[in-house]
Amino acid sequence: MSTPPPETVTEDRLLNGRVRLLQPRDGYRAAIDPVLLAAAVPARPGERILDLGCGVGAAALCLLARCPEITVDGLELQDVLAGLGRRNAVLNGVEGRFAVHCGDAAAPPAGLGDFDHVLTNPPFFEEGSGTSAANASRALAHAEGNLDLAGWIKAAVKMLRPKGRLTLIHRAERLGDILAALRGRGVGDIVILPLWPKAERAAGRVIVSARKGVRSPLRLLPGLVLHGEGGEFTAQADAILRSGAALDPPAGPADKK
């Protein structure tokens, strides 16, 4: 396991200080996306969760802060980030409930599977599109590599148990690609939740979830406005980002079974 020099790592806080997070000073750094992703996972006590592409564990740690009676496995390709994820588990006192594995989503380690939930923040950009980040770790986290978005979603669904739920966050402009990737994967109860930066602005992100082996119809939810006119977080966004509240969509037929 590679250990980065101390001067290349910062300690930051999420959920108003409840989550302590070691992360690279110049590499991929967690913002609000993993917090929103964790808030959208309807985990219940005793369930097993996989954070696919977990980075340093931001989403997993936020989910554990809200749902202490679950266990989470993280799978991360980059050795340095996986190492920081393990240190973060210890730093937050959840090393017995959060295990980070270094490995590839295209060929996950043996024994990872049959999860109640998979949450994931897949790489945002298609390979070769846009300008590559100067930092190699950030570039690897942002751009698709040996797995494109469809392959990433296929891997996530494969690691779910029957009726398990996949929850992901992505750029709104790739919603069509996400829905195409879910087609033919044996999933249903697809739920789309837009995230608007401000009221009357186009959504910048979407949270999409789906359940394996169910046939309930797609639902498009009202969504969440993140900022008020003055740039401050809305009351609902603030409750999620600072207080760790859940982002609960209305229950669908599949959730009642």
Side-chain angles (χ1 to χ4, degrees):
M1 180 181 72
S2 300
T3 302
E7 66 272 14
T8 67
V9 176
T10 64
E11 182 179 328
D12 302 289
R13 304 292 177 108
L14 300 173
L15 299 184
N16 206 28
R18 290 171 61 194
V19 171
R20 300 169 65 185
L21 196 71
L22 299 174
Q23 55 183 342
R25 184 181 299 277
D26 297 320
Y28 173 78
R29 294 178 60 81
I32 67 172
D33 283 4
V35 186
L36 293 166
L37 174 63
V41 177
R44 298 171 181 171
E47 290 188 325
R48 298 176 60 243
I49 321 294
L50 174 67
D51 185 353
L52 184 62
C54 67
V56 299
L61 291 167
C62 289
L63 182 57
L64 283 162
R66 178 169 59 86
C67 305
E69 297 179 355
I70 62 172
T71 57
V72 181
D73 285 89
L75 181 60
E76 172 53 45
L77 178 63
Q78 298 189 55
D79 181 64
V80 169
L81 299 185
L84 288 172
R86 296 185 188 107
R87 291 172 61 187
N88 284 328
V90 175
L91 190 64
N92 288 275
V94 295
E95 62 270 29
R97 293 184 286 124
F98 180 33
V100 181
H101 312 269
C102 188
D104 194 337
L112 281 187
D114 201 36
F115 289 97
D116 297 288
H117 297 271
V118 173
L119 68 152
T120 186
N121 184 0
F124 274 0
F125 301 102
E126 297 176 272
E127 187 175 13
S129 67
T131 303
S132 180
N135 181 277
S137 177
R138 187 184 297 118
L140 188 58
H142 284 177
E144 296 172 0
N146 60 336
L147 277 183
D148 60 8
L149 181 57
W152 193 277
I153 289 173
K154 179 181 178 181
V157 172
K158 185 176 181 180
M159 286 188 273
L160 283 169
R161 68 165 180 81
K163 297 189 178 181
R165 182 173 288 281
L166 165 66
T167 305
L168 66 89
I169 189 168
H170 216 289
R171 293 185 299 142
E173 64 191 75
R174 299 206 66 188
L175 177 58
D177 296 329
I178 294 167
L179 295 178
L182 289 171
R183 189 174 300 119
R185 297 284 170 223
V187 300
D189 192 28
I190 297 171
V191 181
I192 303 167
L193 190 147
L195 301 173
W196 293 293
K198 288 186 177 182
E200 301 181 1
R201 292 271 299 275
R205 298 280 191 270
V206 287
I207 293 175
V208 180
S209 71
R211 290 189 73 187
K212 183 176 182 177
V214 302
R215 303 181 67 177
S216 302
L218 181 148
R219 291 181 284 152
L220 178 60
L221 301 184
L224 172 66
V225 178
L226 295 173
H227 297 96
E229 287 304 313
E232 74 287 354
F233 286 124
T234 61
Q236 186 181 5
D238 190 77
I240 292 166
L241 297 171
R242 300 191 195 280
S243 302
L247 181 54
D248 287 325
D255 293 300
K256 299 174 182 177
K257 296 179 181 179

